[in-house]
Amino acid sequence: MGDAWQKSTHSGTGDGGNDCVEVAVIGDAVVLRESDAPRTVVRTTPPALGALIRTLKA
């Protein structure tokens, strides 16, 4: 996967700042990975991720 990975600014920096979920857009897909296990990638669509986020917020 390319250099398009982004993490939240709430994740912090330094040694303790690696515990986060990173996200990237690759083509029509949104991909997610845990910074501690970057080789494991979950692929989804923007509508499905949006539905998940709305459900978690509710």
Side-chain angles (χ1 to χ4, degrees), residues 8-55:
S8 171
T9 56
H10 297 285
S11 296
T13 59
D15 292 338
N18 293 330
D19 297 331
C20 66
V21 173
E22 299 173 328
V23 63
V25 176
I26 300 176
D28 293 337
V30 177
V31 289
L32 304 153
R33 69 182 182 184
E34 167 62 42
S35 60
D36 290 340
R39 294 177 67 180
T40 302
V41 176
V42 175
R43 181 178 299 260
T44 188
T45 64
L49 181 59
L52 173 64
I53 292 169
R54 285 189 299 278
T55 299

